[in-house]
Amino acid sequence: MKKLLISTVLLLGLSMNVSAQKHPPAPPHPSKNELVNIKMQELTKKYNTEKKLILNHPLATKQMKRDQMKALNARYATEKRLLRQAK
């Protein structure tokens, strides 16, 4: 009987200790505008790196670089427009 009482008290104490522990709050979800701004920054960074790669390419001629930059600018403009529409 004494062992049953001790084990019951011990079990209750442990269960209360576990339930009393607080969980950390969930991180706040970013708003839609924040998500769009993050995507815009990533897009700008990607654009700048691709632009550097195109302009610093050792074998490409001026005409090839011009054509690639036109295509890159057109793609960047469409992606930027889509992000602005998402706002």
Side-chain angles (χ1 to χ4, degrees):
M1 184 71 186
K2 192 174 184 182
K3 287 183 180 181
L4 179 66
L5 181 64
I6 291 173
S7 62
T8 309
V9 170
L10 186 64
L11 183 64
L12 281 174
L14 288 175
S15 65
M16 288 180 69
N17 188 20
V18 168
S19 66
Q21 292 178 352
K22 292 192 176 185
H23 299 288
H29 295 290
S31 68
K32 190 173 182 181
N33 282 337
E34 290 173 344
L35 285 174
V36 169
N37 289 338
I38 290 169
K39 290 289 183 185
M40 191 73 78
Q41 289 173 351
E42 291 174 2
L43 182 64
T44 305
K45 188 186 290 185
K46 183 179 170 186
Y47 171 78
N48 288 333
T49 55
E50 287 187 31
K51 182 179 175 182
K52 279 183 192 174
L53 289 173
I54 291 171
L55 294 178
N56 294 333
H57 195 280
L59 300 177
T61 63
K62 286 184 180 179
Q63 181 64 37
M64 289 169 61
K65 289 180 182 181
R66 194 177 310 127
D67 292 342
Q68 288 179 340
M69 283 304 299
K70 277 184 185 178
L72 180 66
N73 288 337
R75 191 176 77 221
Y76 178 70
T78 57
E79 290 179 6
K80 202 170 181 181
R81 188 177 343 108
L82 286 173
L83 275 176
R84 279 196 208 114
Q85 287 175 355
K87 275 188 177 181

